[in-house]
């Protein structure tokens, strides 16, 4: 399963870089979204995939009885999701305003505009 996840993460990173190298600013933002999702999957994959094991220690014990999931990667990914949503919202507003002013989504044409 880890090998399949490694390939999937690699494909997502490749797609994200490809989309970010396009001239359209909309494709740039789509690439950023894919990149953030790939980074989240990478954090989960590196931390180890423990399925069906809650990150809890029963009351009265110092150590867990069996396998437990690490709660730190879960907290990191949750924080990254919230930050990525904020960046996405800001980017959509920025793209909308830039399109209203320049009337194009091509980055090269935006650079050459004298407004």
């Amino acid at each position: 399963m880890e090998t399949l996840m490694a390939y999937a993460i690699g494909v997502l990173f490749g797609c994200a870089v490809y989309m970010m190298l396009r001239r359209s600013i909309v494709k740039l933002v789509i690439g950023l979204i894919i990149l953030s999702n790939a980074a989240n999957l990478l954090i989960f994959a590196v931390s180890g995939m423990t399925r069906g094991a809650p990150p809890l220690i029963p009351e009265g014990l110092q150590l867990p009885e069996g396998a437990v999931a690490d709660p730190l990667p879960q907290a990191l990914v949750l924080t990254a999701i919230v930050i990525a949503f904020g960046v996405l919202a800001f980017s959509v507003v920025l793209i909308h305003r830039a399109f209203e002013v320049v009337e194009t989504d091509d980055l090269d044409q935006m650079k050459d505009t004298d407004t």
Side-chain angles (χ1 to χ4, degrees):
M1 184 68 173
E2 285 85 9
T3 306
L4 179 64
M5 284 297 289
Y7 284 126
I9 292 167
V11 167
L12 282 175
F13 272 114
C15 290
V17 169
Y18 176 78
M19 291 294 283
M20 289 171 50
L21 292 176
R22 304 286 88 201
R23 290 180 7 178
S24 172
I25 196 165
V26 175
K27 292 179 183 175
L28 173 77
V29 171
I30 292 171
L32 284 173
I33 294 167
I34 296 171
L35 184 71
S36 68
N37 288 331
N40 291 340
L41 283 176
L42 180 66
I43 291 171
F44 270 137
V46 168
S47 67
M49 294 189 224
T50 306
R51 189 171 178 169
L56 302 172
I57 298 175
E59 189 174 336
L61 295 178
Q62 295 294 326
L63 296 173
E65 294 174 343
V68 294
D70 188 11
L72 182 63
Q74 297 173 15
L76 288 174
V77 169
L78 182 60
T79 304
I81 289 171
V82 172
I83 291 170
F85 181 74
V87 169
L88 172 65
F90 176 73
S91 300
V92 168
V93 171
L94 186 65
I95 288 170
H96 180 67
R97 181 66 182 141
F99 186 77
E100 284 180 350
V101 171
V102 183
E103 298 179 353
T104 185
D105 71 336
D106 190 352
L107 291 172
D108 289 339
Q109 291 178 359
M110 284 183 176
K111 178 179 67 173
D112 296 333
T113 306
D114 293 321
T115 55

